[in-house]
Amino acid sequence: MVGHGGPIRALAISPDGDSLLSGSFDTRVIRWSLKTETAEQVLRYHADGVNAVVFLKDGRMITAGADARVAVWTASRPEPDRVLEGHVAPIAALAVSPDGTLLASASWDRTVRLWSLSEGTSRVLEGHTQNVNGVAFLPDGRLVSVGYDLALRIWRLPDGQPDIVTLPAPLNAVAVAPDGEIVTGAVDGRLRMLTTDGKVSGELAASPTPVVALAMSADGALIAAAGIGGTVAIIDRKSRNLLRTLVGPGLPVWAVAFLADRETLMTGGADGRIRRWNARTGDPIGSSLIGTPADPLAAYAGDHGADVFRACVACHTLSDKEVQRAGPTLAGLYGRKIASLPGYRFSDALKTMDIVWTPETVARLFEIGPNAYTPGTKMPEQRIGSAEDRRALTEFLARATSR
């Protein structure tokens, strides 16, 4: 399914199994018919990329994104029924409580908010010390949140007190099985399973690159774990075995969702296309694979700086002739003031900063991390500990981004 003008960041399946909701970096949300694979409605409200979408049991839709707003929609209405505001940084994930009365939102402002869907009121759950990247409800109504601070928090509601589990790597995603088992996806490419009381019960390697999205089949039998490198691992949850790896066109996969048949998987990625797969056989369904793009760094084989930059390919191009990815192009980077590239929506916080990109400022960015150097950025937190690697990267950017 093709319709978005940028990377797809979120997918959700309607309760009746007939519709798919997709949110994109292009700021739009599309409601698709899964029977005809055509767009039934385009929702335009958000001022920045849409990172999270969910359906409610009554068919209403909820969307949220980098503009820190939550919008509640009724199908076929052109404007949101309600807008929920309170977060002060991008919203990364949404979850609806088992009884359908509460919405949880995870944000890079280091908080989780609980919203009453009947009244629109909210409460703030604080404690995470870095970006909160995922939320999910347990069957008993408790809430799980995960963040870049290595912490998994299990919040007891309504008192809002958490049990805290510290895991070995920063966490990007969380999913909960029907029996309550918790599954986390981390930047080290590993999945870790935990019991409902927070004890680690299993672990496996799912991807050589960070896991950025998780989905669970309705019966809890299968887990889909999407890696930033473009592959999706299909895991048998009970046996902890990797059944197969889906290999698409080589671009990051940001979103995954199982259909009600428990075997068909939908994926959305950096090329703005939605693909359909048989998760058990690994076969694409229909015209899911539309060419395989060349390695964007093939011309720099053997260049150490290019190897360091490979982690950045998911979000940035080196040339302004390429299709925009999640972040701004780096073409003409050196000498450019931060947040000044025309045509890209930068965080408001960046627009007030007095930074000019040079080898020194880029090196500093990765030495202390984006959160410390450019507070308020939408850029995922990452550091390069080696001074040699930072120098190789900045020298490579000088060669590769000059106009």
Side-chain angles (χ1 to χ4, degrees):
M1 289 181 273
V2 181
H4 283 292
I8 293 168
R9 302 303 302 268
L11 296 173
I13 309 299
S14 64
D16 60 13
D18 291 340
S19 299
L20 172 74
L21 203 61
S22 59
S24 171
F25 181 76
D26 67 5
T27 76
R28 295 184 300 162
V29 177
I30 299 179
R31 180 169 58 86
W32 305 84
S33 166
L34 285 168
K35 294 178 180 178
T36 63
E37 296 194 347
T38 57
E40 294 185 318
Q41 185 179 8
V42 178
L43 309 178
R44 294 181 176 90
Y45 168 75
H46 291 283
D48 213 326
V50 178
N51 296 328
V53 296
V54 293
F55 275 100
L56 298 179
K57 293 178 181 179
D58 60 10
R60 287 182 298 159
M61 303 162 287
I62 302 181
T63 63
D67 61 0
R69 299 174 189 166
V70 178
V72 183
W73 305 78
T74 295
S76 301
R77 291 184 184 173
E79 300 293 335
D81 301 335
R82 176 186 293 169
V83 175
L84 307 175
E85 296 184 277
H87 284 297
V88 295
I91 296 168
L94 297 172
V96 180
S97 63
D99 63 7
T101 63
L102 294 175
L103 175 75
S105 54
S107 173
W108 285 9
D109 64 12
R110 305 181 179 186
T111 71
V112 175
R113 280 184 176 260
L114 278 176
W115 308 85
S116 166
L117 288 172
S118 60
E119 300 172 3
T121 55
S122 72
R123 60 185 296 197
V124 182
L125 303 179
E126 297 179 297
H128 281 283
T129 59
Q130 292 195 46
N131 297 348
V132 188
N133 295 322
V135 282
F137 280 94
L138 290 168
D140 63 8
R142 287 178 297 160
L143 179 69
V144 181
S145 62
V146 298
Y148 215 83
D149 56 2
L150 315 183
L152 178 147
R153 289 173 170 254
I154 302 174
W155 304 88
R156 299 186 301 274
L157 305 178
D159 65 10
Q161 295 302 308
D163 296 314
I164 304 169
V165 180
T166 301
L167 294 173
L171 302 168
N172 285 329
V174 63
V176 172
D179 62 9
E181 183 171 62
I182 302 164
V183 181
T184 65
V187 301
D188 61 1
R190 300 188 74 82
L191 301 189
R192 293 174 177 88
M193 291 77 166
L194 299 92
T195 61
T196 57
D197 57 358
K199 294 182 173 60
V200 176
S201 56
E203 180 178 336
L204 76 153
S207 170
T209 59
V211 173
V212 292
L214 290 174
M216 188 94 62
S217 61
D219 58 1
L222 298 179
I223 303 167
I228 204 170
T231 60
V232 180
I234 305 299
I235 294 113
D236 183 292
R237 184 174 66 91
K238 291 295 186 183
S239 68
R240 316 297 201 208
N241 288 329
L242 176 64
L243 299 180
R244 65 189 68 259
T245 300
L246 310 182
V247 180
L251 297 170
V253 175
W254 295 109
V256 284
F258 278 99
L259 298 191
D261 64 9
R262 305 172 184 178
E263 293 190 351
T264 303
L265 183 74
M266 310 299 293
T267 64
D271 62 356
R273 298 176 185 269
I274 300 170
R275 292 176 167 83
R276 190 187 296 237
W277 306 79
N278 183 314
R280 296 217 176 252
T281 66
D283 296 326
I285 299 173
S287 55
S288 290
L289 291 182
I290 308 175
T292 300
D295 180 356
L297 298 179
Y300 303 98
D303 187 317
H304 178 51
D307 291 338
V308 178
F309 179 75
R310 190 168 290 279
C312 309
V313 167
C315 296
H316 300 282
T317 65
L318 296 167
S319 167
D320 55 10
K321 303 297 189 293
E322 298 179 65
V323 175
Q324 182 175 286
R325 297 179 189 154
T329 181
L330 301 184
L333 177 67
Y334 289 154
R336 187 166 74 212
K337 187 177 185 295
I338 189 172
S340 64
L341 184 72
Y344 182 85
R345 287 191 177 95
F346 291 94
S347 305
D348 288 341
L350 300 189
K351 297 175 184 177
T352 64
M353 295 179 184
D354 189 23
I355 296 173
V356 175
W357 293 121
T358 65
E360 293 74 25
T361 55
V362 170
R364 184 62 173 163
L365 172 74
F366 288 108
E367 180 182 3
I368 67 174
N371 282 348
Y373 192 59
T374 53
T377 181
K378 293 180 287 186
M379 184 176 179
E381 180 66 9
Q382 51 194 309
R383 299 183 184 91
I384 300 174
S386 163
E388 180 183 349
D389 286 351
R390 292 196 298 271
R391 183 171 57 255
L393 174 64
T394 58
E395 291 175 353
F396 166 74
L397 290 173
R399 296 191 297 275
T401 66
S402 59
R403 294 181 185 273

